[in-house]
Amino acid sequence: MKYPRILVLVAALATMLILGLLPVAAQDAVPVTILPVTNAEFLPGAHFDLRVEVQAEALPEDFAVSINGQDASEFFGAEAVDENWQLGDENPVMVSASTWRGVSLPEAGDYTVSVMAGGAETNVDWTVYEPQEAVAKNVILFIADGMTIPEITAARVATFGIEGGKVNGEFATDSFDEIGLVHTNSVDSVMMDSANTASAMNTGHKGSVNATGIYADSSPDVLDDPRVETLAEILRRTTDMSIGVVTTSDYTDATPASVWAHGRDRSSGSRATYAVQALEGIQPDVLMGGGAQYLFPQSTEGSRRADDRDMYAEYEAAGYTIVNSATELNDALASDMPEKLLGIFHRSDMNVWLDRNVYTDNLGDFTDQPGLVDMTMAAIDILSQNPEGFYLEVEAASLDKQMHPLDQERALSDLIEFQYAIAAAVEWAAQNAPDTLIVVTADHGHGYEVYGTVDVTAFNAAEDDMGRRQAIRTYGAAGFPTYTDSDGDGFPEWDADIVFAGVVNNHPDYTENFQVSETPRVPAISSDNGYVDNPDDDPNGIVMSGDLAPSDSTGVHTLQDVPVFAEGPGAEFFGRSIEQSDIFFGMAYALGVDPRG
Amino acid sequence: MKRLYFAGIALLLAACGTATDQHSSITAIPPEELTAAADMAPSPAAPTVEETQVLPTPTLTIAPTLTDTAPRAATPTPLNVDLPAGNAREIAAATDTAMRPEVQHLITFDESPVSIRFDEFYNGYNLRTGLVLSDKLLSLDGQTVQIAGYMAPPLKPELDYFVLTRIRLAFCPFCSTGADWPDDIALIYLNNDDTTVATDHPMRVTGRMEIGASIDHETGMVSLVRIYADNLEIIQ
Ligand SMILES: [Zn+2]
């Protein structure tokens, strides 16, 4: 959505007020936080929680909350629950809060929430948009975690090569009708993570780093933050559509969980809860990925739960067919097509394409994992049984998970696999369901870029860093990388003579030799002084002096617009410069979602 | 109350109190005797976590009783935390002594204490049943063992229990919600009123090993392998 400049100014002032940065006129005025924040956008009837926090021992006597001038409890037809808690340990302050749960805004239009507290008024502005007529039956949202334009460019060149100055082939997204730019910033930071970014796409609400399906409040409870409804929850509540989630990460990780989960802290402690929320909430018809460790009761060796719930048994009781390998997945599809499927193929995150297909010694106990193409098509096969349509989120999780440890070959291989998964879905839609909107995007960036090539023989023969740097060629001298695909699997063999000079622009102290690693990279190891170069990683590499805090073990997310590609009915919404939360609205408009039911 | 002291940190101990017991005068062990544990030092980076914010620690929730689970290799110690408040390790010890894991292929050992390494604990990961305990580990239930590892960063300065890990942990999983314990760990209970202090050095623990899930009454930590330590040694 575009805002007139004056609105942005008002928003900035309101934000400063919320953060307590401006002196408030009245003597007894207290800092007030209103959640959802200013600039929040909704569909009419979408459920959310309104929480108003006041930094005070108790709600001030004049405390009053109104929506467009009407008392909030009257407006919502619901009563607020008052709570308080202590914020901070060293200089604790008391917070008092009033919360209206499960409310909604009935009609499209502009809404102003006013809070009177201690003689001062605090306002936030919200907008509710009119639902649209349905144009699509199905929506598939493909998210490549941490995918950027430079990564797509590098993977495309490595896969297809260059002839006469032109790339010798196309990725699936290269022929999409609509291409746009997505702004990924957070409510609490200019930077972002995979939780609040995927949550923005699934709820239409920007959030705080690490938060999923909520607006982050100040209470110590990470599960009581005011919620916003996800697209999948709205679809469950108001339609008979099916819902699927496919990922190569642990299925309770941030990107997949954003389809159904609500919590402040995406870290391990919450994942066991997100596994429960999936079951007790929307129960996606298809769930595939890793994450077995969040399904066992705590007494089981290798469990990461802190309770005694046997989630495998609970999923089974809820009607899920459970598969744990590529073979079991194929068998399940070949016999009776399951209606609900839980596919768990790894104890935590699934392995990357390069390890599943080339360096298989790295697979450990998990030697029979399906690839992203197979999982995507299995999900589509199951979901498309429903004549009412489906919403499917597919995540290629490991671009990000491999860009963090600066492993260009593992990241780019998963980007290529991602493109093949998109190609398979595009082909399926063309033949079976042209009324399918396919949206492809990333959640955030990484600072990877190629700036030339490396002569590997010269690099490895050099005796010191000056000699190794002589092997890096730029501009015309760069020539072309010599990646080949001699086995014809559609993926380049990375152990070439001339390889990309590609690095990540933020990193700990480490060494870089630009060559594919037979084992996943661990560029830095911990020491008493923070993270330092791992002597076992690229031992012949050029010394790269860290440009991150010593406590950072790997590269971090970077600030950039990420691309969005769209094809199918409703795609035209995406061909421009948008906020990440707009992706929710583009998908909801295409499906004709009206949360009022 | 007596303390178990490490020879390697005598200076630190001088500030804390006087060494008075037989455990304080232990000869340092040459590095070549170290097991796989020491080869791993310094520890690789903790798994990549994107979380950057410090979040409040939620209270650990513990279900009151263990519901019957599918048949497993080890008979779990009841995870009953409705026991009277008191000494966590006495409660654990009592149930540990009462419970015996079922061993498919019992191994008998000539030596005592029996040496075991962390990389001998498990025999793969089954996606439907979890980590598979090795016959050696199961056979060592109730036996005196010797194992080398690192002390995980503890919660408090004076310890009557700690967690022994295969690799040196840079973080304290007790303290941060985002951090998981690795698999290769053992909960070490010191005997009776013994206490010790934190150390970064590789160390060796000798004591009675107990296998099977058990919950620590004080911390809520669920452990699968425990050692009731008679002896702690710093490996120089
Ligand atoms: Zn990341």
PDB file of all heavy atoms in Angstrom, chain A residues 188 264-266 268 298 301-302 304 306 312 324 347 365 400 557, chain B residues 50 53 55 61 65 72 125 127-128 131 133 180-181 183 222:
ATOM      1  N   ASP A 188      10.058  -3.493  14.895  1.00  0.00           N
ATOM      2  CA  ASP A 188      10.990  -3.104  15.949  1.00  0.00           C
ATOM      3  C   ASP A 188      12.400  -2.861  15.445  1.00  0.00           C
ATOM      4  O   ASP A 188      13.289  -2.556  16.233  1.00  0.00           O
ATOM      5  CB  ASP A 188      11.030  -4.183  17.036  1.00  0.00           C
ATOM      6  CG  ASP A 188      11.557  -5.511  16.501  1.00  0.00           C
ATOM      7  OD1 ASP A 188      11.395  -5.766  15.282  1.00  0.00           O
ATOM      8  OD2 ASP A 188      12.134  -6.287  17.286  1.00  0.00           O
ATOM      9  N   ARG A 264       5.955 -15.155  20.367  1.00  0.00           N
ATOM     10  CA  ARG A 264       6.910 -14.063  20.349  1.00  0.00           C
ATOM     11  C   ARG A 264       8.317 -14.525  20.001  1.00  0.00           C
ATOM     12  O   ARG A 264       9.126 -13.771  19.515  1.00  0.00           O
ATOM     13  CB  ARG A 264       6.926 -13.393  21.736  1.00  0.00           C
ATOM     14  CG  ARG A 264       7.997 -12.340  21.957  1.00  0.00           C
ATOM     15  CD  ARG A 264       7.720 -11.128  21.084  1.00  0.00           C
ATOM     16  NE  ARG A 264       8.768 -10.108  21.170  1.00  0.00           N
ATOM     17  CZ  ARG A 264       9.792 -10.038  20.313  1.00  0.00           C
ATOM     18  NH1 ARG A 264       9.928 -10.921  19.357  1.00  0.00           N
ATOM     19  NH2 ARG A 264      10.675  -9.054  20.423  1.00  0.00           N
ATOM     20  N   ASP A 265       8.622 -15.801  20.293  1.00  0.00           N
ATOM     21  CA  ASP A 265      10.008 -16.249  20.242  1.00  0.00           C
ATOM     22  C   ASP A 265      10.082 -17.538  19.441  1.00  0.00           C
ATOM     23  O   ASP A 265       9.680 -18.592  19.900  1.00  0.00           O
ATOM     24  CB  ASP A 265      10.505 -16.470  21.674  1.00  0.00           C
ATOM     25  CG  ASP A 265      11.884 -17.094  21.710  1.00  0.00           C
ATOM     26  OD1 ASP A 265      12.560 -17.098  20.664  1.00  0.00           O
ATOM     27  OD2 ASP A 265      12.270 -17.573  22.787  1.00  0.00           O
ATOM     28  N   ARG A 266      10.635 -17.457  18.247  1.00  0.00           N
ATOM     29  CA  ARG A 266      10.654 -18.596  17.340  1.00  0.00           C
ATOM     30  C   ARG A 266      11.672 -19.650  17.750  1.00  0.00           C
ATOM     31  O   ARG A 266      11.776 -20.683  17.111  1.00  0.00           O
ATOM     32  CB  ARG A 266      11.052 -18.108  15.963  1.00  0.00           C
ATOM     33  CG  ARG A 266      12.403 -17.425  16.069  1.00  0.00           C
ATOM     34  CD  ARG A 266      13.119 -17.174  14.801  1.00  0.00           C
ATOM     35  NE  ARG A 266      13.375 -18.342  14.014  1.00  0.00           N
ATOM     36  CZ  ARG A 266      13.981 -18.301  12.843  1.00  0.00           C
ATOM     37  NH1 ARG A 266      14.372 -17.145  12.362  1.00  0.00           N
ATOM     38  NH2 ARG A 266      14.211 -19.384  12.160  1.00  0.00           N
ATOM     39  N   SER A 268      13.996 -22.511  19.854  1.00  0.00           N
ATOM     40  CA  SER A 268      13.670 -23.906  20.110  1.00  0.00           C
ATOM     41  C   SER A 268      12.558 -24.106  21.129  1.00  0.00           C
ATOM     42  O   SER A 268      11.699 -24.968  20.965  1.00  0.00           O
ATOM     43  CB  SER A 268      14.927 -24.630  20.567  1.00  0.00           C
ATOM     44  OG  SER A 268      14.616 -25.932  20.906  1.00  0.00           O
ATOM     45  N   GLN A 298       9.202 -35.829  26.269  1.00  0.00           N
ATOM     46  CA  GLN A 298      10.530 -35.464  26.772  1.00  0.00           C
ATOM     47  C   GLN A 298      11.343 -36.654  27.278  1.00  0.00           C
ATOM     48  O   GLN A 298      12.564 -36.603  27.331  1.00  0.00           O
ATOM     49  CB  GLN A 298      10.408 -34.419  27.876  1.00  0.00           C
ATOM     50  CG  GLN A 298       9.618 -34.905  29.095  1.00  0.00           C
ATOM     51  CD  GLN A 298       9.520 -33.816  30.164  1.00  0.00           C
ATOM     52  OE1 GLN A 298      10.213 -32.824  30.103  1.00  0.00           O
ATOM     53  NE2 GLN A 298       8.648 -34.037  31.141  1.00  0.00           N
ATOM     54  N   GLU A 301      14.725 -40.361  24.235  1.00  0.00           N
ATOM     55  CA  GLU A 301      16.049 -39.899  23.864  1.00  0.00           C
ATOM     56  C   GLU A 301      15.959 -39.138  22.543  1.00  0.00           C
ATOM     57  O   GLU A 301      15.380 -39.636  21.573  1.00  0.00           O
ATOM     58  CB  GLU A 301      17.010 -41.073  23.722  1.00  0.00           C
ATOM     59  CG  GLU A 301      17.372 -41.736  25.034  1.00  0.00           C
ATOM     60  CD  GLU A 301      16.268 -42.623  25.581  1.00  0.00           C
ATOM     61  OE1 GLU A 301      15.240 -42.800  24.903  1.00  0.00           O
ATOM     62  OE2 GLU A 301      16.423 -43.125  26.704  1.00  0.00           O
ATOM     63  N   GLY A 302      16.558 -37.946  22.486  1.00  0.00           N
ATOM     64  CA  GLY A 302      16.523 -37.176  21.255  1.00  0.00           C
ATOM     65  C   GLY A 302      15.275 -36.327  21.115  1.00  0.00           C
ATOM     66  O   GLY A 302      15.032 -35.754  20.066  1.00  0.00           O
ATOM     67  N   ARG A 304      13.053 -32.907  21.928  1.00  0.00           N
ATOM     68  CA  ARG A 304      13.268 -31.517  22.323  1.00  0.00           C
ATOM     69  C   ARG A 304      11.983 -30.923  22.891  1.00  0.00           C
ATOM     70  O   ARG A 304      11.763 -29.730  22.848  1.00  0.00           O
ATOM     71  CB  ARG A 304      13.738 -30.688  21.123  1.00  0.00           C
ATOM     72  CG  ARG A 304      15.117 -31.039  20.613  1.00  0.00           C
ATOM     73  CD  ARG A 304      16.203 -30.324  21.405  1.00  0.00           C
ATOM     74  NE  ARG A 304      17.520 -30.533  20.818  1.00  0.00           N
ATOM     75  CZ  ARG A 304      18.359 -31.469  21.222  1.00  0.00           C
ATOM     76  NH1 ARG A 304      18.034 -32.279  22.213  1.00  0.00           N
ATOM     77  NH2 ARG A 304      19.532 -31.598  20.647  1.00  0.00           N
ATOM     78  N   ALA A 306       9.473 -30.286  26.234  1.00  0.00           N
ATOM     79  CA  ALA A 306       9.592 -30.147  27.678  1.00  0.00           C
ATOM     80  C   ALA A 306       8.305 -30.613  28.343  1.00  0.00           C
ATOM     81  O   ALA A 306       7.936 -30.152  29.415  1.00  0.00           O
ATOM     82  CB  ALA A 306       9.906 -28.702  28.052  1.00  0.00           C
ATOM     83  N   TYR A 312       3.381 -37.537  17.745  1.00  0.00           N
ATOM     84  CA  TYR A 312       3.122 -38.503  16.662  1.00  0.00           C
ATOM     85  C   TYR A 312       1.765 -39.172  16.884  1.00  0.00           C
ATOM     86  O   TYR A 312       0.942 -39.282  15.974  1.00  0.00           O
ATOM     87  CB  TYR A 312       4.207 -39.576  16.624  1.00  0.00           C
ATOM     88  CG  TYR A 312       5.364 -39.288  15.688  1.00  0.00           C
ATOM     89  CD1 TYR A 312       6.679 -39.342  16.141  1.00  0.00           C
ATOM     90  CD2 TYR A 312       5.142 -39.000  14.338  1.00  0.00           C
ATOM     91  CE1 TYR A 312       7.742 -39.103  15.289  1.00  0.00           C
ATOM     92  CE2 TYR A 312       6.205 -38.763  13.476  1.00  0.00           C
ATOM     93  CZ  TYR A 312       7.501 -38.810  13.954  1.00  0.00           C
ATOM     94  OH  TYR A 312       8.559 -38.579  13.115  1.00  0.00           O
ATOM     95  N   ASN A 324       7.935 -41.212   6.997  1.00  0.00           N
ATOM     96  CA  ASN A 324       9.231 -40.776   7.502  1.00  0.00           C
ATOM     97  C   ASN A 324      10.380 -40.937   6.508  1.00  0.00           C
ATOM     98  O   ASN A 324      11.540 -40.831   6.884  1.00  0.00           O
ATOM     99  CB  ASN A 324       9.568 -41.521   8.806  1.00  0.00           C
ATOM    100  CG  ASN A 324       8.650 -41.141   9.945  1.00  0.00           C
ATOM    101  OD1 ASN A 324       7.819 -41.917  10.389  1.00  0.00           O
ATOM    102  ND2 ASN A 324       8.770 -39.899  10.409  1.00  0.00           N
ATOM    103  N   ARG A 347      15.357 -35.398  11.928  1.00  0.00           N
ATOM    104  CA  ARG A 347      15.091 -35.034  13.316  1.00  0.00           C
ATOM    105  C   ARG A 347      14.990 -33.512  13.470  1.00  0.00           C
ATOM    106  O   ARG A 347      14.219 -33.028  14.282  1.00  0.00           O
ATOM    107  CB  ARG A 347      16.166 -35.567  14.268  1.00  0.00           C
ATOM    108  CG  ARG A 347      17.512 -34.933  14.092  1.00  0.00           C
ATOM    109  CD  ARG A 347      18.489 -35.340  15.183  1.00  0.00           C
ATOM    110  NE  ARG A 347      18.064 -34.901  16.505  1.00  0.00           N
ATOM    111  CZ  ARG A 347      18.743 -35.124  17.616  1.00  0.00           C
ATOM    112  NH1 ARG A 347      19.866 -35.816  17.553  1.00  0.00           N
ATOM    113  NH2 ARG A 347      18.323 -34.690  18.763  1.00  0.00           N
ATOM    114  N   ASP A 365      22.020 -40.445   9.769  1.00  0.00           N
ATOM    115  CA  ASP A 365      20.971 -41.464   9.884  1.00  0.00           C
ATOM    116  C   ASP A 365      19.830 -41.270   8.890  1.00  0.00           C
ATOM    117  O   ASP A 365      18.941 -42.102   8.814  1.00  0.00           O
ATOM    118  CB  ASP A 365      20.377 -41.431  11.297  1.00  0.00           C
ATOM    119  CG  ASP A 365      21.418 -41.756  12.350  1.00  0.00           C
ATOM    120  OD1 ASP A 365      22.214 -42.680  12.111  1.00  0.00           O
ATOM    121  OD2 ASP A 365      21.447 -41.073  13.392  1.00  0.00           O
ATOM    122  N   ASP A 400      19.080 -19.828   3.021  1.00  0.00           N
ATOM    123  CA  ASP A 400      19.437 -19.055   4.202  1.00  0.00           C
ATOM    124  C   ASP A 400      20.360 -19.839   5.121  1.00  0.00           C
ATOM    125  O   ASP A 400      21.391 -19.332   5.575  1.00  0.00           O
ATOM    126  CB  ASP A 400      18.170 -18.664   4.944  1.00  0.00           C
ATOM    127  CG  ASP A 400      18.440 -18.061   6.295  1.00  0.00           C
ATOM    128  OD1 ASP A 400      18.794 -16.873   6.345  1.00  0.00           O
ATOM    129  OD2 ASP A 400      18.316 -18.785   7.302  1.00  0.00           O
ATOM    130  N   HIS A 557      21.473 -11.521   8.105  1.00  0.00           N
ATOM    131  CA  HIS A 557      20.560 -11.028   7.066  1.00  0.00           C
ATOM    132  C   HIS A 557      20.929  -9.595   6.705  1.00  0.00           C
ATOM    133  O   HIS A 557      21.443  -8.852   7.535  1.00  0.00           O
ATOM    134  CB  HIS A 557      19.122 -11.074   7.567  1.00  0.00           C
ATOM    135  CG  HIS A 557      18.700 -12.437   8.029  1.00  0.00           C
ATOM    136  ND1 HIS A 557      17.581 -12.671   8.761  1.00  0.00           N
ATOM    137  CD2 HIS A 557      19.283 -13.647   7.855  1.00  0.00           C
ATOM    138  CE1 HIS A 557      17.468 -13.961   9.021  1.00  0.00           C
ATOM    139  NE2 HIS A 557      18.502 -14.577   8.486  1.00  0.00           N
TER     140      HIS A 557
ATOM    141  N   GLU B  50      19.033 -17.473  14.270  1.00  0.00           N
ATOM    142  CA  GLU B  50      18.760 -16.142  13.752  1.00  0.00           C
ATOM    143  C   GLU B  50      18.314 -15.207  14.851  1.00  0.00           C
ATOM    144  O   GLU B  50      18.334 -14.014  14.692  1.00  0.00           O
ATOM    145  CB  GLU B  50      17.680 -16.213  12.678  1.00  0.00           C
ATOM    146  CG  GLU B  50      18.116 -17.114  11.543  1.00  0.00           C
ATOM    147  CD  GLU B  50      17.109 -17.133  10.412  1.00  0.00           C
ATOM    148  OE1 GLU B  50      16.194 -16.306  10.446  1.00  0.00           O
ATOM    149  OE2 GLU B  50      17.236 -17.955   9.528  1.00  0.00           O
ATOM    150  N   GLN B  53      17.523 -11.359  19.739  1.00  0.00           N
ATOM    151  CA  GLN B  53      17.019 -10.603  20.860  1.00  0.00           C
ATOM    152  C   GLN B  53      17.085 -11.429  22.131  1.00  0.00           C
ATOM    153  O   GLN B  53      16.902 -12.634  22.107  1.00  0.00           O
ATOM    154  CB  GLN B  53      15.562 -10.251  20.606  1.00  0.00           C
ATOM    155  CG  GLN B  53      15.399  -9.516  19.299  1.00  0.00           C
ATOM    156  CD  GLN B  53      14.323  -8.479  19.382  1.00  0.00           C
ATOM    157  OE1 GLN B  53      13.424  -8.611  20.187  1.00  0.00           O
ATOM    158  NE2 GLN B  53      14.414  -7.456  18.596  1.00  0.00           N
ATOM    159  N   LEU B  55      15.329 -12.633  25.148  1.00  0.00           N
ATOM    160  CA  LEU B  55      13.924 -12.765  25.497  1.00  0.00           C
ATOM    161  C   LEU B  55      13.806 -13.268  26.921  1.00  0.00           C
ATOM    162  O   LEU B  55      14.696 -13.930  27.427  1.00  0.00           O
ATOM    163  CB  LEU B  55      13.247 -13.751  24.552  1.00  0.00           C
ATOM    164  CG  LEU B  55      13.138 -13.218  23.119  1.00  0.00           C
ATOM    165  CD1 LEU B  55      12.842 -14.336  22.164  1.00  0.00           C
ATOM    166  CD2 LEU B  55      12.066 -12.159  23.045  1.00  0.00           C
ATOM    167  N   THR B  61       7.527 -25.824  31.829  1.00  0.00           N
ATOM    168  CA  THR B  61       6.316 -26.512  32.256  1.00  0.00           C
ATOM    169  C   THR B  61       6.552 -28.004  32.254  1.00  0.00           C
ATOM    170  O   THR B  61       7.126 -28.556  31.344  1.00  0.00           O
ATOM    171  CB  THR B  61       5.136 -26.197  31.322  1.00  0.00           C
ATOM    172  OG1 THR B  61       5.578 -26.424  29.986  1.00  0.00           O
ATOM    173  CG2 THR B  61       4.660 -24.783  31.490  1.00  0.00           C
ATOM    174  N   THR B  65       2.792 -36.247  35.597  1.00  0.00           N
ATOM    175  CA  THR B  65       3.203 -37.648  35.599  1.00  0.00           C
ATOM    176  C   THR B  65       3.536 -38.100  34.197  1.00  0.00           C
ATOM    177  O   THR B  65       3.127 -37.500  33.227  1.00  0.00           O
ATOM    178  CB  THR B  65       2.088 -38.563  36.137  1.00  0.00           C
ATOM    179  OG1 THR B  65       0.899 -38.237  35.439  1.00  0.00           O
ATOM    180  CG2 THR B  65       1.907 -38.409  37.621  1.00  0.00           C
ATOM    181  N   ARG B  72      10.150 -48.870  24.632  1.00  0.00           N
ATOM    182  CA  ARG B  72      11.427 -48.292  24.258  1.00  0.00           C
ATOM    183  C   ARG B  72      12.533 -49.129  24.866  1.00  0.00           C
ATOM    184  O   ARG B  72      12.287 -49.970  25.725  1.00  0.00           O
ATOM    185  CB  ARG B  72      11.517 -46.862  24.754  1.00  0.00           C
ATOM    186  CG  ARG B  72      10.397 -45.984  24.213  1.00  0.00           C
ATOM    187  CD  ARG B  72      10.669 -44.532  24.440  1.00  0.00           C
ATOM    188  NE  ARG B  72      11.938 -44.384  25.150  1.00  0.00           N
ATOM    189  CZ  ARG B  72      12.002 -44.108  26.415  1.00  0.00           C
ATOM    190  NH1 ARG B  72      10.935 -43.957  27.112  1.00  0.00           N
ATOM    191  NH2 ARG B  72      13.166 -43.978  26.996  1.00  0.00           N
ATOM    192  N   TYR B 125      19.544 -42.500  14.888  1.00  0.00           N
ATOM    193  CA  TYR B 125      18.312 -41.803  15.281  1.00  0.00           C
ATOM    194  C   TYR B 125      17.181 -42.376  14.454  1.00  0.00           C
ATOM    195  O   TYR B 125      17.203 -42.352  13.234  1.00  0.00           O
ATOM    196  CB  TYR B 125      18.452 -40.305  15.003  1.00  0.00           C
ATOM    197  CG  TYR B 125      17.416 -39.429  15.671  1.00  0.00           C
ATOM    198  CD1 TYR B 125      17.725 -38.716  16.828  1.00  0.00           C
ATOM    199  CD2 TYR B 125      16.133 -39.293  15.146  1.00  0.00           C
ATOM    200  CE1 TYR B 125      16.789 -37.898  17.445  1.00  0.00           C
ATOM    201  CE2 TYR B 125      15.196 -38.472  15.763  1.00  0.00           C
ATOM    202  CZ  TYR B 125      15.525 -37.775  16.907  1.00  0.00           C
ATOM    203  OH  TYR B 125      14.601 -36.960  17.522  1.00  0.00           O
ATOM    204  N   LEU B 127      13.404 -42.013  13.289  1.00  0.00           N
ATOM    205  CA  LEU B 127      12.460 -40.894  13.225  1.00  0.00           C
ATOM    206  C   LEU B 127      11.156 -41.179  13.960  1.00  0.00           C
ATOM    207  O   LEU B 127      10.399 -40.267  14.251  1.00  0.00           O
ATOM    208  CB  LEU B 127      12.170 -40.524  11.762  1.00  0.00           C
ATOM    209  CG  LEU B 127      13.314 -39.797  11.056  1.00  0.00           C
ATOM    210  CD1 LEU B 127      13.037 -39.661   9.561  1.00  0.00           C
ATOM    211  CD2 LEU B 127      13.538 -38.418  11.670  1.00  0.00           C
ATOM    212  N   ARG B 128      10.877 -42.444  14.271  1.00  0.00           N
ATOM    213  CA  ARG B 128       9.651 -42.767  15.005  1.00  0.00           C
ATOM    214  C   ARG B 128       9.896 -43.097  16.476  1.00  0.00           C
ATOM    215  O   ARG B 128       8.958 -43.135  17.272  1.00  0.00           O
ATOM    216  CB  ARG B 128       8.909 -43.932  14.345  1.00  0.00           C
ATOM    217  CG  ARG B 128       8.275 -43.579  13.017  1.00  0.00           C
ATOM    218  CD  ARG B 128       7.436 -42.293  13.095  1.00  0.00           C
ATOM    219  NE  ARG B 128       6.218 -42.438  13.866  1.00  0.00           N
ATOM    220  CZ  ARG B 128       5.086 -42.917  13.383  1.00  0.00           C
ATOM    221  NH1 ARG B 128       4.993 -43.261  12.123  1.00  0.00           N
ATOM    222  NH2 ARG B 128       4.019 -43.035  14.135  1.00  0.00           N
ATOM    223  N   LEU B 131      16.440 -41.294  19.475  1.00  0.00           N
ATOM    224  CA  LEU B 131      17.807 -41.801  19.524  1.00  0.00           C
ATOM    225  C   LEU B 131      17.810 -43.259  19.977  1.00  0.00           C
ATOM    226  O   LEU B 131      17.100 -43.629  20.907  1.00  0.00           O
ATOM    227  CB  LEU B 131      18.639 -40.982  20.503  1.00  0.00           C
ATOM    228  CG  LEU B 131      19.246 -39.680  19.991  1.00  0.00           C
ATOM    229  CD1 LEU B 131      19.808 -38.884  21.162  1.00  0.00           C
ATOM    230  CD2 LEU B 131      20.334 -39.949  18.963  1.00  0.00           C
ATOM    231  N   LEU B 133      19.646 -46.146  21.817  1.00  0.00           N
ATOM    232  CA  LEU B 133      20.728 -46.321  22.789  1.00  0.00           C
ATOM    233  C   LEU B 133      21.558 -47.548  22.439  1.00  0.00           C
ATOM    234  O   LEU B 133      21.013 -48.594  22.085  1.00  0.00           O
ATOM    235  CB  LEU B 133      20.142 -46.468  24.199  1.00  0.00           C
ATOM    236  CG  LEU B 133      19.819 -45.178  24.944  1.00  0.00           C
ATOM    237  CD1 LEU B 133      18.818 -44.329  24.192  1.00  0.00           C
ATOM    238  CD2 LEU B 133      19.317 -45.490  26.348  1.00  0.00           C
ATOM    239  N   ASP B 180      19.557 -25.317  22.734  1.00  0.00           N
ATOM    240  CA  ASP B 180      19.241 -26.699  23.048  1.00  0.00           C
ATOM    241  C   ASP B 180      20.468 -27.382  23.621  1.00  0.00           C
ATOM    242  O   ASP B 180      21.587 -27.082  23.236  1.00  0.00           O
ATOM    243  CB  ASP B 180      18.850 -27.465  21.785  1.00  0.00           C
ATOM    244  CG  ASP B 180      17.396 -27.245  21.441  1.00  0.00           C
ATOM    245  OD1 ASP B 180      16.580 -27.179  22.374  1.00  0.00           O
ATOM    246  OD2 ASP B 180      17.098 -27.149  20.241  1.00  0.00           O
ATOM    247  N   TRP B 181      20.250 -28.355  24.506  1.00  0.00           N
ATOM    248  CA  TRP B 181      21.340 -29.226  24.894  1.00  0.00           C
ATOM    249  C   TRP B 181      21.671 -30.133  23.720  1.00  0.00           C
ATOM    250  O   TRP B 181      20.778 -30.603  23.022  1.00  0.00           O
ATOM    251  CB  TRP B 181      20.919 -30.097  26.073  1.00  0.00           C
ATOM    252  CG  TRP B 181      20.817 -29.350  27.362  1.00  0.00           C
ATOM    253  CD1 TRP B 181      19.670 -28.942  27.977  1.00  0.00           C
ATOM    254  CD2 TRP B 181      21.895 -28.921  28.187  1.00  0.00           C
ATOM    255  NE1 TRP B 181      19.965 -28.284  29.138  1.00  0.00           N
ATOM    256  CE2 TRP B 181      21.328 -28.254  29.292  1.00  0.00           C
ATOM    257  CE3 TRP B 181      23.299 -29.018  28.097  1.00  0.00           C
ATOM    258  CZ2 TRP B 181      22.103 -27.693  30.308  1.00  0.00           C
ATOM    259  CZ3 TRP B 181      24.062 -28.460  29.109  1.00  0.00           C
ATOM    260  CH2 TRP B 181      23.470 -27.812  30.195  1.00  0.00           C
ATOM    261  N   ASP B 183      22.885 -33.806  22.169  1.00  0.00           N
ATOM    262  CA  ASP B 183      22.524 -35.157  22.613  1.00  0.00           C
ATOM    263  C   ASP B 183      23.567 -35.736  23.554  1.00  0.00           C
ATOM    264  O   ASP B 183      23.245 -36.457  24.493  1.00  0.00           O
ATOM    265  CB  ASP B 183      22.417 -36.107  21.417  1.00  0.00           C
ATOM    266  CG  ASP B 183      21.278 -35.715  20.494  1.00  0.00           C
ATOM    267  OD1 ASP B 183      20.274 -35.203  20.994  1.00  0.00           O
ATOM    268  OD2 ASP B 183      21.433 -35.931  19.281  1.00  0.00           O
ATOM    269  N   VAL B 222      15.368 -32.707  32.079  1.00  0.00           N
ATOM    270  CA  VAL B 222      15.209 -34.138  31.845  1.00  0.00           C
ATOM    271  C   VAL B 222      16.542 -34.689  31.361  1.00  0.00           C
ATOM    272  O   VAL B 222      17.094 -34.218  30.369  1.00  0.00           O
ATOM    273  CB  VAL B 222      14.122 -34.424  30.795  1.00  0.00           C
ATOM    274  CG1 VAL B 222      14.074 -35.895  30.459  1.00  0.00           C
ATOM    275  CG2 VAL B 222      12.777 -33.959  31.297  1.00  0.00           C
TER     276      VAL B 222
END
